[in-house]
Amino acid sequence: MARPSTRSSPPPQESSEPATVAEELSFRESQTALELCLAQLQDEELDVESMADLYRRALAYAERCESVLQQVEQQVMQWDATQPERAPTPYTP
């Protein structure tokens, strides 16, 4: 009789590159995931390997948030209420 494997396969998120996983998330999902990673990084009993993985994931989530914000910034139109006859113009910082 074959013995069952004692190794469990990692969840899909763990096996994928953090940046690839983050690209599929919305801003809110990325922000929540980032907050969870940061909370886990505060665990004093965290081993170095897990800390490094959490750091990479947190960085990917933070970069995703920044990317979404930049995309939205490019889509925002400015409208001057003092000149309603003028068409809205793209936002430029």
Side-chain angles (χ1 to χ4, degrees), residues 5-6 30 32-33 35 39 42 44 46 50 62-63 79-80 82 85:
S5 174
T6 57
S30 294
T32 300
E35 290 170 357
Q42 294 177 15
E44 293 179 9
L46 191 64
S50 296
E63 289 172 352
W79 179 69
D80 187 352
T82 62
E85 67 282 352

Side-chain angles (χ1 to χ4, degrees), residues 53-91:
D53 180 56
L54 278 168
Y55 175 79
R56 283 190 294 276
R57 289 182 14 212
L59 186 59
Y61 295 135
E63 289 172 352
R64 173 63 179 161
C65 288
E66 180 66 26
S67 172
V68 171
L69 289 175
Q70 287 176 353
Q71 290 172 6
V72 169
E73 186 177 82
Q74 295 301 314
Q75 296 171 358
V76 170
M77 301 294 279
Q78 290 183 318
W79 179 69
D80 187 352
T82 62
Q83 299 179 348
E85 67 282 352
R86 293 184 71 189
T89 57
Y91 172 76

Side-chain angles (χ1 to χ4, degrees), residues 26-60:
S26 69
F27 176 83
R28 178 71 64 192
E29 291 167 333
S30 294
Q31 185 180 38
T32 300
L34 174 59
E35 290 170 357
L36 289 172
C37 284
L38 294 177
Q40 290 175 334
L41 281 168
Q42 294 177 15
D43 184 357
E44 293 179 9
E45 295 181 20
L46 191 64
D47 60 78
V48 175
E49 292 82 7
S50 296
M51 186 181 299
D53 180 56
L54 278 168
Y55 175 79
R56 283 190 294 276
R57 289 182 14 212
L59 186 59

